[in-house]
């Protein structure tokens, strides 16, 4: 121990030689304790990297995830006989020179987190020496934590849980958590990792690693941690405006004639829709020709005509592509000739289908070449990147010990979806900036927010328990910094409802799921076993059709709010699907509330998560609307809330019973909110010149920034967009509309705002043309109106 202390003190002496105790630096501080070197590097005053490795085993590592470079940060160093402290203006990192324990504190000296220890157990990585790495932290006993990706355990708070962080269908694994105390930890390791938490310790135990490499971020609150994670791993680009509309899919449309007819049926019924999705086998029904990335199926003989027909109906098309290929496809043959395919078994099995090595940049370029030649060049609007885990059929997991371009597959396994999806994003951006990248992907990893992708929760079952699990799954995913997420409306598989869309028990579930999905990053109907098009649930006038259509219309009326929030995400690192404690952390009732969420900063959503009018067990029984049903909704303390459907004003800090007939899902608006409400439309860009309702929910001062641009290119990156700031002064009942900032091609120079003060007599629910509105003819100059 004396020798360890002496080495530690000698190193500190070297560190301070020729410099003052306070300095600005990008360089790491290196500390040796018990044969382990710890490097401490401040990337900003609020983010610090901790890199540990066995002494004299300096790792050669380039992160696949982290983009941020260390800033020059003013630091103060202090040493004593038993410790060494490095402080920025926001955090204090103190290392115990006897044990190597690291304590993270805020600027006031409050302990945030303790790094208890790191264990390196020798292990072979193919033919190289490596380690199994166990990183252990100490948290406060009752400290809630969130994140880990999309976990289907139904839990919001991930304390006292055990999870295998290994990508697979329905489970997205990200070794990141954030605390109610306002800090986050990202472990930059890509191998399968066992997360376990108990009152005594919190552990990441990774299969492989040459080091323990993690980033501690002190954001002070949920939004601050998300912002720090995005600064570290990448910003969020704007998605196309049409991506926020309603999208229809099924497994699968069997011909181009059928997919066009389905879209035309929506247009004829005047049910709003912005996009339709073509699932698999447009390439062939022969699995040896799996995923040819080409329209080789004779039922899709003229894909350019199909795309033109869809575009002529003011809709968009995205298409399913997998990371695996059958042996008769041209892309398989090209990748095989260059040794760019893995050799493990994948779906569909016994057909020679193989996954490509997405870690190889040349393989990613070849992948895109087929996208571009056969699809993007003829007008395809986006990509459904399925099975991006990727899918495998090896129960013994021997495939993990395959070699990939970067090393062993096991060492990089969890990052496969990131590198594969990012390859598509980067190559499309190189090809053209005229169309925004729009990707739907079944898996993700840290940093994937930078790729123009929306993740979905995979092939979940269609039942009430699965629906309940989606809320905490989506919230925890969002808290890792990736803002756009959705799920198959009604669940992918429908096992327990005979008759499918004609079964009234399933119709109840599907309708409630549709209501929930209206408040996700993407509103998308998809599944197998039973078809989901709205007109298959009944005709207009039937309860299932009408309730579903109502919430599709509501989605479109909220598009100005949603698209402006998307800009807030891109510009200011905001989030769309948010836990209640993001704004109400002092209300402990919100810390583990897994049945509600915030949609943006103003809307509280409480989905109906249990059957109310059928037994919900699958029997095809007649639905019973004879009694009023209700659910209990908790409204956080610290503000007042408006019932969206009635404008009843309710004080927070308590639960309320809300009646829930089949066409009502509880929605509450935070007092001190401004909501832009759009017109009734058939697609996102149909009536851009229509009057826009500006609905004010009084009780506190409020602000809102209305964002607009061209909708589907990257000209906004050049400054081609506009913003209009709205400010509500509650004490004087005055709305101030600021001068328009910016300009873009096709921007309306003049527009009409109808300002409505929400009350029990006006601005109620989805009503239009409120009799108490005030009309403002806006020409881009600042104006105020007193209500």
């Amino acid at each position: 121990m004396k020798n360890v202390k002496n080495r530690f003190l000698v190193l500190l002496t070297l560190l301070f030689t020729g410099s003052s105790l306070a300095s600005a630096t990008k360089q790491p501080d290196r500390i040796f304790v018990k044969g382990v070197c710890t490097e401490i590097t401040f990337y900003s005053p609020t983010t610090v990297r901790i890199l540990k490795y066995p002494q004299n085993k300096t790792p050669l590592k380039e992160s696949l995830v982290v983009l941020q470079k260390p800033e020059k940060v003013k630091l103060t160093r202090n040493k004593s006989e038993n410790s060494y402290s490095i402080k920025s203006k926001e955090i204090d990192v103190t290392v115990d020179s006897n044990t190597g324990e690291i304590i993270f504190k805020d600027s006031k000296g409050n302990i945030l987190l303790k790094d208890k220890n790191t264990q390196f157990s020798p292990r072979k990585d193919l033919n190289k020496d490596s380690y199994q790495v166990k990183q252990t932290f100490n948290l406060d006993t009752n400290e809630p934590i969130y994140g880990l990706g999309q976990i289907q355990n139904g839990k919001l708070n991930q304390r006292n849980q055990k999870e295998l962080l290994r990508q697979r269908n329905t489970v997205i694994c990200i070794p990141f958590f954030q605390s109610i105390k306002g800090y986050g930890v990202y472990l930059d390791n890509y191998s399968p990792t066992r997360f376990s938490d108990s009152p005594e310790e919190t552990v990441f135990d990774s299969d492989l690693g040459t080091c323990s490499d993690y980033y501690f971020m002190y954001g002070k609150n949920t939004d601050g941690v998300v912002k720090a994670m995005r600064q570290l791993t990448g910003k969020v680009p704007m998605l196309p405006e049409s991506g926020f509309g309603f999208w229809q899919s099924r497994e699968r449309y069997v011909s181009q004639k059928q997919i066009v007819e389905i879209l035309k049926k929506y247009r004829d019924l005047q049910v709003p829709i912005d996009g339709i999705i073509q699932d698999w086998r447009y390439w062939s029904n022969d699995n040896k020709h799996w995923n040819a990335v080409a329209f080789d199926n004779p039922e899709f003989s003229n894909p350019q005509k199909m795309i033109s027909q869809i575009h002529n109906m003011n809709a968009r098309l995205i298409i399913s592509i997998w990371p695996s290929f059958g042996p008769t496809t041209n892309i398989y043959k090209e990748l095989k000739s260059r040794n760019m395919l893995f050799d493990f078994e994948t779906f569909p099995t016994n057909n020679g289908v193989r996954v490509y090595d997405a870690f190889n940049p040349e393989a990613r370029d070849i992948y895109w070449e087929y996208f571009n030649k056969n699809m993007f060049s003829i007008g395809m609007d986006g990509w459904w990147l399925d099975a991006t885990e990727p899918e495998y059929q090896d129960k013994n997991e021997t495939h993990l010990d395959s070699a990939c371009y970067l090393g062993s597959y096991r060492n990089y396994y969890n990052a496969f979806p990131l590198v594969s999806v990012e390859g598509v994003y980067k190559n499309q951006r190189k090809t053209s900036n005229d169309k925004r990248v729009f990707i739907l992907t079944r898996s993700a990893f840290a940093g994937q927010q930078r790729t123009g992708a929306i993740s979905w929760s995979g092939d979940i079952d269609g039942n009430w328990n699965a629906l309940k699990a989606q809320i905490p799954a989506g919230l925890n995913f969002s808290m890792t910094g990736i803002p756009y997420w959705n799920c198959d409306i009604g669940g992918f598989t429908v096992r327990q409802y005979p008759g499918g869309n004609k079964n009234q028990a399933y119709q109840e579930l599907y309708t409630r799921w549709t209501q929930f999905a209206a408040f996700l990053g993407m509103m998308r109907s998809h599944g197998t076993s039973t078809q989901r098009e709205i007109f298959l649930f009944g005709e207009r006038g039937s309860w299932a059709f009408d309730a579903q259509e109502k919430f599709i219309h509501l989605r479109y009326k909220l598009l100005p709010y949603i698209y402006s929030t998307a800009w807030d995400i891109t510009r200011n690192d905001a989030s769309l699907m948010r836990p209640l404690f993001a704004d109400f952390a002092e209300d402990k009732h919100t810390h583990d509330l897994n049945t509600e969420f915030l949609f943006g900063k103003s809307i509280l959503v409480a989905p109906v998560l249990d059957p109310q009018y059928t037994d919900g067990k699958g029997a095809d029984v007649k639905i019973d609307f004879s009694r009023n049903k209700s659910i209990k909704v908790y409204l956080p303390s610290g503000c007042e809330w408006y019932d969206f459907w009635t404008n009843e004003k309710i004080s927070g800090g308590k639960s309320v019973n809300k009646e829930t007939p089949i066409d009502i899902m509880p929605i509450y608006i935070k007092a001190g909110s401004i909501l832009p409400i759009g017109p009734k439309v058939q697609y996102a860009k149909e009536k851009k010149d229509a009057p826009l309702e500006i609905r004010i929910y009084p009780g506190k001062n409020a602000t809102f920034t209305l964002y607009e641009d061209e909708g589907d290119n990257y000209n906004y990156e050049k400054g081609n967009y506009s913003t209009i700031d709205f400010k509500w002064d509650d004490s004087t009942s005055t709305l101030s509309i600021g001068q328009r900032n910016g300009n873009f091609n096709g921007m309306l120079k003049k527009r009409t705002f109808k300002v409505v003060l929400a009350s029990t007599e006006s601005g109620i629910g989805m009503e239009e043309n409120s009799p108490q509105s005030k009309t403002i003819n806006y020409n881009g100059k600042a104006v105020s109106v007193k209500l």
Side-chain angles (χ1 to χ4, degrees):
M1 182 60 67
K2 182 177 180 180
N3 290 336
V4 171
K5 281 189 178 181
N6 287 341
R7 270 202 309 274
F8 180 77
L9 293 174
V10 167
L11 181 65
L12 293 186
T13 301
L14 292 173
L15 283 169
F16 290 129
T17 299
S19 66
S20 64
L21 291 180
S23 63
T25 180
K26 297 181 180 181
Q27 301 303 314
D29 288 54
R30 293 184 176 87
I31 302 160
F32 297 89
V33 180
K34 293 185 175 181
V36 173
C37 178
T38 298
E39 294 187 5
I40 303 173
T41 308
F42 275 79
Y43 276 54
S44 74
T46 58
T47 298
V48 60
R49 181 191 188 193
I50 306 296
L51 178 67
K52 299 183 186 181
Y53 49 88
Q55 195 170 338
N56 301 322
K57 299 287 185 179
T58 305
L60 298 175
K61 178 181 178 182
E62 292 186 17
S63 179
L64 298 175
V65 173
V66 175
L67 302 181
Q68 187 178 9
K69 303 299 181 184
E71 305 171 7
K72 281 189 175 182
V73 180
K74 186 175 181 180
L75 301 172
T76 301
R77 298 173 173 84
N78 292 292
K79 62 177 179 176
S80 67
E81 182 179 355
N82 296 313
S83 67
Y84 176 47
S85 173
I86 312 171
K87 296 181 181 179
S88 71
K89 65 180 181 180
E90 297 292 348
I91 51 178
D92 175 350
V93 183
T94 299
V95 183
D96 187 303
S97 56
N98 297 311
T99 65
E101 180 184 75
I102 303 173
I103 299 177
F104 299 89
K105 303 176 184 175
D106 65 18
S107 59
K108 297 179 181 178
N110 299 309
I111 294 176
L112 299 170
L113 177 68
K114 293 181 181 179
D115 173 342
K116 183 179 179 181
N117 60 53
T118 306
Q119 297 175 12
F120 296 95
S121 302
R123 180 173 180 174
K124 285 291 184 181
D125 178 15
L126 296 182
N127 296 318
K128 296 181 180 179
D129 291 334
S130 189
Y131 302 93
Q132 180 176 332
V133 184
K134 183 177 180 181
Q135 177 61 55
T136 304
F137 299 99
N138 282 142
L139 281 64
D140 291 346
T141 302
N142 297 315
E143 176 185 349
I145 60 171
Y146 314 93
L148 302 181
Q150 173 197 281
I151 307 298
Q152 298 283 352
N153 61 9
K155 305 288 185 182
L156 183 60
N157 178 6
Q158 296 298 332
R159 291 306 303 270
N160 302 307
Q161 302 299 309
K162 292 183 178 180
E163 294 292 342
L164 174 60
L165 302 183
R166 186 194 66 203
Q167 309 287 22
R168 52 201 186 275
N169 189 356
T170 76
V171 178
I172 297 174
C173 298
I174 301 174
F176 168 94
F177 69 84
Q178 63 164 282
S179 166
I180 198 71
K181 293 165 73 172
Y183 69 82
V185 175
Y186 165 61
L187 180 73
D188 196 34
N189 184 293
Y190 320 128
S191 71
T193 296
R194 287 152 297 284
F195 170 85
S196 61
D197 177 78
S198 69
E200 291 73 37
E201 61 182 20
T202 303
V203 178
F204 287 112
D205 187 0
S206 302
D207 276 6
L208 283 175
T210 56
C211 57
S212 173
D213 186 4
Y214 69 87
Y215 294 79
F216 176 89
M217 295 158 268
Y218 184 46
K220 300 183 180 179
N221 54 38
T222 299
D223 290 339
V225 173
V226 166
K227 183 179 182 71
M229 187 62 175
R230 296 211 193 122
Q231 289 173 335
L232 186 71
T233 65
K235 297 286 191 173
V236 183
M238 289 292 289
L239 300 181
E241 190 172 8
S242 60
F244 295 108
F246 176 72
W247 287 70
Q248 182 63 59
S249 178
R250 75 161 68 154
E251 195 276 301
R252 64 184 171 93
Y253 298 117
V254 299
S255 68
Q256 66 182 70
K257 180 175 182 291
Q258 184 185 49
I259 194 172
V260 170
E261 286 176 347
I262 291 290
L263 180 60
K264 185 176 185 301
K265 181 74 170 178
Y266 270 88
R267 287 288 181 246
D268 290 344
L269 285 169
Q270 296 188 316
V271 175
I273 189 170
D274 260 274
I276 197 160
I277 304 172
Q278 178 59 49
D279 205 347
W280 61 356
R281 287 190 171 172
Y282 57 86
W283 50 75
S284 171
N285 291 324
D286 179 359
N287 285 338
K288 292 188 181 300
H289 204 65
W290 179 264
N291 192 39
V293 199
F295 292 97
D296 293 337
N297 185 330
E299 295 296 331
F300 295 84
S301 59
N302 193 341
Q304 188 159 15
K305 178 182 177 182
M306 171 183 66
I307 294 171
S308 295
Q309 288 175 313
I310 289 170
H311 287 175
N312 288 339
M313 285 187 278
N314 296 297
R316 300 290 179 262
L317 173 68
I318 66 175
I319 195 162
S320 171
I321 301 179
W322 292 53
S324 53
F325 317 96
T328 65
T329 63
N330 290 331
I331 188 170
Y332 176 102
K333 295 172 184 176
E334 182 169 354
L335 291 166
K336 179 72 172 177
S337 70
R338 304 188 188 199
N339 196 29
M340 296 176 182
L341 292 174
F342 289 114
D343 197 36
F344 57 79
E345 188 83 353
T346 189
F347 179 85
T349 57
N350 303 316
N351 288 281
V353 178
R354 294 294 181 263
V355 172
Y356 87 117
D357 183 357
F359 299 101
N360 187 323
E362 187 179 353
R364 297 194 296 266
D365 290 345
I366 292 170
Y367 194 39
W368 169 255
E369 286 171 9
Y370 282 81
F371 282 50
N372 187 35
K373 177 177 64 176
N374 296 328
M375 296 176 182
F376 190 65
S377 63
I378 61 172
M380 189 62 66
D381 299 298
W383 319 105
W384 180 336
L385 301 184
D386 207 343
T388 44
E389 305 84 29
E391 194 158 0
Y392 61 91
Q393 304 296 320
D394 175 13
K395 293 182 180 179
N396 296 321
E397 299 186 359
T398 56
H399 69 288
L400 290 175
D401 295 314
S402 304
C404 72
Y405 178 79
L406 296 176
S408 76
Y409 186 37
R410 184 183 297 274
N411 203 23
Y412 294 95
Y413 178 82
N414 280 335
F416 186 98
L418 173 66
V419 295
S420 184
V421 173
E422 189 165 39
V424 176
Y425 173 80
K426 287 183 174 181
N427 275 299
Q428 183 175 324
R429 291 296 308 264
K430 288 178 184 177
T431 304
S432 174
N433 276 327
D434 293 336
K435 183 177 290 186
R436 291 180 193 167
V437 180
F438 188 51
I439 295 172
L440 184 62
T441 173
R442 199 171 78 179
S443 195
F445 195 66
Q448 204 144 314
Q449 71 279 353
R450 65 193 187 223
T451 65
I454 302 175
S455 294
W456 95 92
S457 60
D459 297 346
I460 55 175
D461 286 336
N463 58 53
W464 291 95
N465 286 334
L467 173 57
K468 292 175 186 177
Q470 297 317 293
I471 296 176
L475 287 171
N476 277 302
F477 183 77
S478 177
M479 282 184 279
T480 67
I482 308 176
Y484 296 122
W485 175 91
N486 74 120
C487 54
D488 295 348
I489 298 176
F492 178 69
T493 57
V494 181
R495 306 176 195 272
Q496 69 187 62
Y497 294 96
N501 55 41
K502 303 304 181 187
N503 182 317
Q504 291 203 332
Y506 182 68
Q507 289 181 349
E508 181 183 18
L509 171 66
Y510 184 87
T511 298
R512 293 304 192 187
W513 210 311
T514 299
Q515 294 167 356
F516 164 56
F519 294 87
L520 297 179
M522 184 180 187
M523 187 181 188
R524 178 185 56 87
S525 171
H526 177 71
T528 191
S529 307
T530 189
Q531 297 162 1
R532 317 293 174 87
E533 287 78 17
I534 188 172
F535 45 83
L536 298 178
F537 288 90
E539 297 180 352
R540 181 173 278 119
S542 66
W543 64 266
F545 184 106
D546 290 356
Q548 292 171 34
E549 184 184 31
K550 177 178 180 177
F551 275 80
I552 295 173
H553 277 297
L554 177 56
R555 173 75 172 196
Y556 278 85
K557 291 182 77 65
L558 290 174
L559 278 184
Y561 173 83
I562 296 170
Y563 199 59
S564 295
T565 300
W567 173 245
D568 198 21
I569 290 168
T570 295
R571 184 62 176 264
N572 303 312
D573 297 301
S575 296
L576 186 61
M577 188 179 186
R578 299 156 49 81
L580 268 61
F581 62 77
D583 289 330
F584 304 98
E586 293 182 2
D587 184 344
K588 292 186 178 181
H589 288 91
T590 67
H591 291 183
D592 200 16
L593 189 56
N594 63 353
T595 58
E596 305 171 19
F597 60 96
L598 297 171
F599 187 63
K601 296 177 180 177
S602 297
I603 303 175
L604 185 153
V605 182
V608 178
L609 302 174
D610 291 290
Q612 296 184 313
Y613 298 106
T614 65
D615 60 12
K617 297 177 181 179
D620 188 9
V621 296
K622 186 173 177 59
I623 202 159
D624 179 10
F625 291 131
S626 63
R627 291 182 300 156
N628 289 334
K629 299 290 186 177
S630 65
I631 68 169
K632 186 175 288 187
V633 180
Y634 182 75
L635 302 176
S637 62
C639 75
E640 294 176 306
W641 297 89
Y642 288 83
D643 183 330
F644 176 76
W645 302 108
T646 66
N647 278 348
E648 177 189 4
K649 192 175 181 182
I650 306 167
S651 297
K654 63 184 178 184
S655 294
V656 297
N657 286 317
K658 173 62 182 174
E659 289 190 359
T660 50
I662 195 64
D663 66 339
I664 293 291
M665 178 182 71
I667 302 168
Y668 292 86
I669 313 300
K670 184 168 59 175
S673 294
I674 299 172
L675 290 190
I677 307 290
K680 191 173 183 178
V681 295
Q682 294 300 298
Y683 53 93
K685 301 183 75 171
E686 184 188 17
K687 299 177 182 177
K688 302 304 287 186
D689 57 348
L692 193 64
E693 179 181 320
I694 305 299
R695 191 177 295 182
I696 300 161
Y697 293 84
K700 287 186 177 180
N701 293 341
T703 62
F704 187 85
T705 298
L706 180 69
Y707 172 83
E708 295 175 304
D709 63 16
E710 293 170 61
D712 194 18
N713 58 40
Y714 289 95
N715 289 340
Y716 73 87
E717 294 180 341
K718 304 172 185 177
N720 296 330
Y721 63 87
S722 75
T723 58
I724 302 172
D725 291 332
F726 295 80
K727 294 182 180 180
W728 168 252
D729 187 322
D730 202 60
S731 64
T732 62
S733 297
T734 301
L735 177 69
S736 298
I737 305 176
Q739 180 175 323
R740 180 193 291 120
N741 293 309
N743 196 359
F744 62 90
N745 197 27
M747 185 185 77
L748 293 172
K749 301 296 184 182
K750 297 180 180 180
R751 62 182 314 159
T752 300
F753 295 130
K754 292 187 175 181
V755 182
V756 178
L757 191 64
S759 71
T760 54
E761 298 177 352
S762 62
I764 300 170
M766 294 173 64
E767 77 171 10
E768 297 179 342
N769 302 316
S770 175
Q772 299 187 28
S773 66
K774 287 195 174 183
T775 299
I776 296 178
N777 295 313
Y778 180 76
N779 62 7
K781 295 181 180 180
V783 63
S784 295
V785 58
K786 189 176 179 63
L787 299 180

